[in-house]
């Protein structure tokens, strides 16, 4: 190169300017990872090619996947706003609707608002770059776009389930169906244009993070511990291990006690005074809830970032309710405890729904909180106990009791070192531990169950119990290194309805143990797999829920790998 350069003729100023301009143009073009493409070419990579072609017709020979992606997200924002307006219009006529229809529409109203927020955040990101994003940012956007599809499907399910006598429901369902296709196209184009290829770590070497709390169950009585380990450091406080180890930053602490000795007597009062939209550097707003049975419906709204609740222990600090579908609630709003605030942490509490098997769907916890963590907690119910609704979630050393589909939803969720206790359902029912709700192959969602124990609750008897069944078309559930007792049926998995989703779902088992783990008599669906460590590592804490990015600050122990 140097020899060639030495033989070149001198370059005048105008020529140098033109060459510089060309270089700038070339560098700008090269930063766009994908070359220009026609609508037909771009749309073939989406689940709905013909819908895509009719919806995003860009007549520009230089347009590439980024241009189509931005156009699709902008159109999605417009559609989400139109749908929110439509829901508001129907709710203004609520005097003509049943209670069930009103509640389903109120769910849709809330979910439409969340979708607008997520789409707006997505557009702010994709409008600024033509190149692949960082691993975390890419996962953030894919997670939000995945949740938008989940939210829309939740709205559809609620209307279909509770509005049978509502004559105008098709006026809501029809635009929703189109919106779902548009959101799916947006997700596909994002994954193709901005997604990080092979962005997950493919190492089966286990590594362990252990920060903040000591290993195993926390002490049943936290009051003396909380008093002892808080130290003022400037304007912040630190919760640290008993041996002086790593620390969790706390911005403030309030105490909830039913006897009046704390700052508040209800959890809801404490949540209401927590700061809005705190940042990681601010630390957690800690609510310590002393032992007692709290009969209240707890809802932690989306603006209460970095909130931590610590109780006195499982079966000591208990939050309980009894809402159910039979009593007129939607599944979505039947929950005793609802959290949608990102970076939420709960430790040492029990959450119950006492409606019983006879009341069918009755949720204990509904979690739609991104990067949320539950440690040493118990969730008790029957049908639909734990609603892992959306976004990224982590559960460590928790106990989960239930019957039909008792772990369900469409989050990217990892349950690690947990105890799963199938219990006695209604007569004629069988138990399915999971009912995962992935509706689109582009979603980064699924239920991963690692190093857990599946044993019968005391009342189970001889009820047939299965690892899961496909609630939606691309249902995805993985069991890894988990002990399965004799209660698990030899076939392992159960159909939802006929052959629905048996070939499109992804059900996998890896290195499980116990008498129920024998895969020799498992179902023969093409969607069922016995996987190896190379595949299983994709569903670990570090890879599946981006655990290394948020779990260390929580103080909760976790295993990043297998």
């Amino acid at each position: 190169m140097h020899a060639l350069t030495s033989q070149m003729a001198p370059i005048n100023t105008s020529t140098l300017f033109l060459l510089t301009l060309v270089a700038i143009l070339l560098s700008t073009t090269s930063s766009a990872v994908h070359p220009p493409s026609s609508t037909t070419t771009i749309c073939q990579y989406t689940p709905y090619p013909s819908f895509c072609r009719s919806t995003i017709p860009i007549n520009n020979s230089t347009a590439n996947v980024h241009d189509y992606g931005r156009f699709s997200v902008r159109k999605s924002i417009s559609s989400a706003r139109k749908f929110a307006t439509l829901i508001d219009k129907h709710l203004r006529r609520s005097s003509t609707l049943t209670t069930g229809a009103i509640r389903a529409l109120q769910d849709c109203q809330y979910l439409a608002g969340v979708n607008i927020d997520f789409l707006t955040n997505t557009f702010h990101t994709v409008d600024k770059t033509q190149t692949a994003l960082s691993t975390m940012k890419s996962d953030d956007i894919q997670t939000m776009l995945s949740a938008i599809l989940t939210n829309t499907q939740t709205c559809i399910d609620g209307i279909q389930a509770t509005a049978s006598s509502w004559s105008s429901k098709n006026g809501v369902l029809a635009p929703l169906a189109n919106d779902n296709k548009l959101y799916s196209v947006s997700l596909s184009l994002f994954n193709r244009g901005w997604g990080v290829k092979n962005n997950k770590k493919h190492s089966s070497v286990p590594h362990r993070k252990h920060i903040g709390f000591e290993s195993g169950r926390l002490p049943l009585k936290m009051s003396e511990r909380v008093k002892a380990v808080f130290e003022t450091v400037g304007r912040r406080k630190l919760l640290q291990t008993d041996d002086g180890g790593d620390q969790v930053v706390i911005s403030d602490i309030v105490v909830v006690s039913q006897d009046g000795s704390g700052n508040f007597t209800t959890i809801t009062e404490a949540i209401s005074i927590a700061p809005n939209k705190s940042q990681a550097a601010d630390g957690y707003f800690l609510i310590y809830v002393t032992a007692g049975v709290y009969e209240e419906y707890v809802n932690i709204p989306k603006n209460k970032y970095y909130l931590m609740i610590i109780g006195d222990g499982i079966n000591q600090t208990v939050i309980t309710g009894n809402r159910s579908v039979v009593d007129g609630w939607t599944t979505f709003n039947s929950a005793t405890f609802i959290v949608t605030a990102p970076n939420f942490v709960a430790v040492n509490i029990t959450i119950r729904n006492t409606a019983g098997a006879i009341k069918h769907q009755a949720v204990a916890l509904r979690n739609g909180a991104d990067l949320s963590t539950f440690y040493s907690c118990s969730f008790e119910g029957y049908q639909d106990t734990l609603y892992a609704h959306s976004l990224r979630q982590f559960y460590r050393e928790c106990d989960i009791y239930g019957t039909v589909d008792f772990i369900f939803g469409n989050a990217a969720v990892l349950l690690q070192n947990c105890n799963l206790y199938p219990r006695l359902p209604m007569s004629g029912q069988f138990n399915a531990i999971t009912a995962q709700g992935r509706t689109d192959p582009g979603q980064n969602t699924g239920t991963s169950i690692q190093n857990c124990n599946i044993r019968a609750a005391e009342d189970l008897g001889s009820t047939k119990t299965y690892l899961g069944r496909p609630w939606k078309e691309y249902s995805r559930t993985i069991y890894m290194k988990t002990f399965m007792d004799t209660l698990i049926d030899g076939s392992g998995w159960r159909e939802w309805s006929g052959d629905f989703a048996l070939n499109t779902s992804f059900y996998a088992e890896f290195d499980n143990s116990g008498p129920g783990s024998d895969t020799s008599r498992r179902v023969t669906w093409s969607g069922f797999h016995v996987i190896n460590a190379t595949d299983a590592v994709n569903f670990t804490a570090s890879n599946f829920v981006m655990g290394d990015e948020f779990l260390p600050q929580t103080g909760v122990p976790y295993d990043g790998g297998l």
Side-chain angles (χ1 to χ4, degrees):
M1 183 68 188
H2 294 294
L4 287 171
T5 303
S6 65
Q7 298 175 28
M8 289 181 180
I11 300 174
N12 62 37
T13 305
S14 60
T15 305
L16 181 62
F17 172 78
L18 288 173
L19 288 173
T20 303
L21 181 60
V22 169
I24 291 171
L25 290 172
L26 286 173
S27 67
T28 303
T29 302
S30 64
S31 70
V33 177
H34 298 270
S37 298
S38 67
T39 304
T40 300
T41 301
I42 287 292
C43 287
Q44 71 179 344
Y45 299 110
T46 73
Y48 304 101
S50 61
F51 176 85
C52 173
R53 288 192 297 272
S54 65
T55 306
I56 53 171
I58 298 180
N59 298 316
N60 185 336
S61 61
T62 64
N64 63 17
V65 67
H66 302 109
D67 299 310
Y68 290 101
R70 278 188 285 270
F71 185 92
S72 175
V73 173
R74 279 199 303 268
K75 194 170 182 66
S76 293
I77 294 172
S78 176
S79 293
R81 286 174 174 160
K82 286 178 182 176
F83 182 73
T85 300
L86 177 66
I87 293 298
D88 291 342
K89 183 179 74 172
H90 281 287
L91 282 171
R92 285 196 295 270
R93 302 170 182 169
S94 60
S95 60
T96 64
L97 300 175
T98 64
T99 300
I102 292 170
R103 286 176 173 167
L105 284 170
Q106 288 170 338
D107 291 350
C108 292
Q109 185 182 49
Y110 166 76
L111 292 164
V114 173
N115 281 358
I116 292 169
D117 290 345
F118 285 173
L119 284 165
T120 302
N121 290 340
T122 295
F123 185 73
H124 287 160
T125 297
V126 300
D127 195 38
K128 293 176 181 176
T129 178
Q130 293 244 90
T131 59
L133 302 169
S134 67
T135 300
M136 189 63 188
K137 178 56 72 174
S138 175
D139 204 73
D140 286 345
I141 301 299
Q142 188 185 15
T143 296
M144 285 193 286
L145 291 173
S146 296
I148 288 163
L149 283 164
T150 302
N151 292 342
T152 309
Q153 188 62 50
T154 300
C155 177
I156 292 171
D157 291 345
I159 289 173
Q160 290 176 333
T162 62
S164 58
S165 61
W166 179 27
S167 60
S168 301
K169 69 176 181 177
N170 287 334
V172 174
L173 291 176
L176 267 182
N178 279 333
D179 288 352
N180 237 2
K181 289 181 180 178
L182 180 57
Y183 301 152
S184 178
V185 167
S186 295
L187 174 60
S188 297
L189 295 178
F190 172 80
N191 287 345
R192 187 162 184 83
W194 288 273
V196 177
K197 304 297 185 290
N198 300 317
N199 62 340
K200 306 294 186 178
K201 302 171 187 175
H202 294 283
S203 169
S204 59
V205 179
H207 64 280
R208 181 177 181 84
K209 299 288 184 182
H210 185 149
I211 301 176
F213 301 113
E214 70 270 21
S215 181
R217 301 288 185 176
L218 294 178
L220 290 181
K221 284 293 180 183
M222 285 288 293
S223 54
E224 292 305 315
R225 175 177 167 80
V226 168
K227 292 175 185 176
V229 301
F230 275 88
E231 300 176 357
T232 300
V233 181
R235 297 179 61 188
R236 301 187 299 177
K237 299 176 181 179
L238 302 173
L239 174 63
Q240 61 189 71
T241 56
D242 289 335
D243 61 2
D246 294 311
Q247 302 160 330
V248 179
V249 178
I250 304 295
S251 63
D252 205 351
I253 178 172
V254 296
V255 178
V256 177
S257 184
Q258 290 177 320
D259 64 8
S261 62
N263 304 97
F264 303 98
T265 57
T266 70
I267 301 166
T268 300
E269 289 174 310
I271 293 167
S272 69
I273 63 100
N276 295 330
K277 297 187 176 181
S278 297
Q279 299 301 308
D282 299 329
Y284 291 95
F285 183 87
L286 175 58
I287 300 173
Y288 166 51
V289 185
T290 62
V293 177
Y294 294 80
E295 297 181 3
E296 58 177 302
Y297 294 95
V298 175
N299 190 339
I300 301 174
K302 62 184 180 181
N303 60 341
K304 300 294 183 180
Y305 302 178
Y306 291 96
L307 187 68
M308 179 182 287
I309 295 181
I310 297 180
D312 270 332
I314 290 175
N315 294 328
Q316 300 298 310
T317 297
V318 179
I319 305 168
T320 183
N322 63 1
R323 288 175 178 168
S324 69
V325 166
V326 169
D327 287 339
W329 297 91
T330 61
T331 301
F332 188 71
N333 261 327
S334 68
T336 300
F337 194 110
I338 296 170
V339 56
T340 54
N343 296 95
F344 173 76
V345 181
V347 182
N348 251 25
I349 58 175
T350 290
I351 300 171
R352 287 180 184 151
N353 189 314
T354 61
I358 197 170
K359 293 298 181 73
H360 296 279
Q361 295 96 329
V363 176
L365 169 68
R366 189 190 91 213
N367 186 359
D370 198 22
L371 309 178
S372 54
T373 307
F374 285 80
Y375 175 44
S376 188
C377 292
S378 181
F379 312 103
E380 301 175 12
Y382 289 83
Q383 184 170 347
D384 291 0
T385 302
L386 172 57
Y387 194 174
H389 180 262
S390 54
L391 305 169
R392 293 164 291 192
Q393 310 178 11
F394 180 74
Y395 299 78
R396 172 83 179 200
E397 295 173 33
C398 292
D399 299 335
I400 309 167
Y401 296 81
T403 56
V404 180
D405 307 332
F406 68 93
I407 300 168
F408 77 114
N410 194 24
V413 54
L414 176 61
L415 286 81
Q416 192 175 87
N417 294 36
C418 293
N419 298 305
L420 314 182
Y421 294 111
R423 62 199 309 186
L424 182 67
M426 293 173 62
S427 176
Q429 288 184 326
F430 60 86
N431 286 337
I433 295 173
T434 64
Q436 207 283 324
R438 188 164 168 255
T439 61
D440 190 286
Q443 289 177 305
N444 61 353
T445 56
T447 300
S448 179
I449 297 173
Q450 179 189 17
N451 199 33
C452 293
N453 294 294
I454 305 173
R455 293 187 170 90
E458 291 181 359
D459 62 350
L460 178 66
S462 58
T463 300
K464 279 187 175 293
T465 298
Y466 302 89
L467 298 174
R469 58 181 185 148
W471 182 27
K472 302 296 180 184
E473 189 172 2
Y474 294 95
S475 181
R476 181 161 67 172
T477 302
I478 303 92
Y479 285 85
M480 310 184 294
K481 293 182 173 290
T482 287
F483 174 83
M484 303 176 181
D485 214 340
T486 54
L487 73 162
I488 299 300
D489 187 84
S491 61
W493 306 82
R494 177 82 179 226
E495 301 86 351
W496 183 272
S497 177
D499 63 357
F500 170 73
L502 302 188
N503 299 326
T504 51
S505 294
F506 181 83
Y507 288 146
E509 298 182 46
F510 168 71
D511 197 23
N512 298 305
S513 62
S517 67
D518 181 2
T519 59
S520 63
R521 294 193 296 117
R522 288 296 195 251
V523 294
T524 57
W525 316 335
S526 59
F528 171 72
H529 310 271
V530 177
I531 59 176
N532 59 26
T534 302
D535 294 325
V537 76
N538 291 308
F539 301 99
T540 56
S542 294
N543 291 336
F544 193 49
V545 296
M546 305 298 286
D548 297 334
E549 302 293 334
F550 75 99
L551 288 173
Q553 67 185 322
T554 68
V556 172
Y558 75 101
D559 297 307
L562 291 173

